Amino acid sequence: MESKQEHTPCPTRLAGDRLRSVGLRPTRQRIALAGLLFAKGDRHLTAEELHEEAVSAGVPVSLATVYNTLHQFTDAGMLRVLAVESSKTYFDTNTSDHQHFFIEGDNEVMDIPTGGISIDGLPDVPEGMEVAHIDVIVRLRRKSS
Ligand SMILES: [Zn+2]
């Protein structure tokens, strides 16, 4: 079924491979959105931001589809949802364990450099449970001076 014209890894191919590796069917829309998402390294973005990028890249896709696709990618482990604000969902292309700064006013999410935070004195967890993940969001604002 697959066309065999390998060698130079183009973004479309990489996106298709990535989708297949997590068990998602590489539809044209998923490939286009994954291509946009993962072409720029680690980043944090909302469905609205990705939708804008898709529109300016000439990808005909609705905001609802972008939203659904982001959640499918998240369920497949390709993205992490950040609970920064209740009004907006930020998706992180870096699914490794790391923490975030959130700049209030600018609504910008930034990674805290590795080793920048240490968490002490965690409570004992109930029997049969383990800590899956700890989210720390350090909220920043610009100094008024
Ligand atoms: Zn991050």
Side-chain angles (χ1 to χ4, degrees):
M1 280 265 227
E2 240 162 81
S3 63
K4 292 279 174 201
Q5 12 148 269
E6 313 287 307
H7 298 308
T8 36
C10 73
T12 307
R13 263 196 57 80
L14 289 177
D17 290 346
R18 192 188 269 261
L19 289 167
R20 271 185 289 268
S21 76
V22 297
L24 286 175
R25 205 158 57 85
T27 63
R28 184 174 299 204
Q29 278 178 334
R30 283 182 184 152
I31 286 178
L33 293 175
L36 290 169
L37 264 174
F38 297 107
K40 297 180 186 171
D42 292 342
R43 59 196 190 123
H44 314 94
L45 76 185
T46 62
E48 289 77 11
E49 287 164 350
L50 183 61
H51 182 243
E52 265 176 43
E53 285 187 16
V55 168
S56 27
V59 179
V61 69
S62 70
L63 178 58
T65 301
V66 171
Y67 200 77
N68 290 336
T69 305
L70 285 169
H71 280 286
Q72 289 161 359
F73 288 178
T74 302
D75 291 344
M78 293 163 68
L79 294 172
R80 199 176 124 194
V81 165
L82 300 179
V84 178
E85 274 198 306
S86 52
S87 59
K88 257 188 189 174
T89 305
Y90 288 83
F91 296 86
D92 195 341
T93 61
N94 178 358
T95 56
S96 73
D97 223 341
H98 66 282
Q99 312 301 340
H100 295 96
F101 286 126
F102 179 68
I103 306 174
E104 293 181 344
D106 295 1
N107 288 348
E108 196 190 332
V109 180
M110 291 165 59
D111 287 344
I112 292 178
T114 322
I117 237 174
S118 76
I119 296 158
D120 257 341
L122 280 176
D124 293 334
V125 298
E127 187 152 347
M129 302 284 189
E130 61 182 358
V131 175
H133 184 78
I134 298 168
D135 270 323
V136 174
I137 293 160
V138 178
R139 291 169 189 276
L140 306 177
R141 63 172 172 237
R142 308 226 170 250
K143 290 182 178 178
S144 52
S145 64

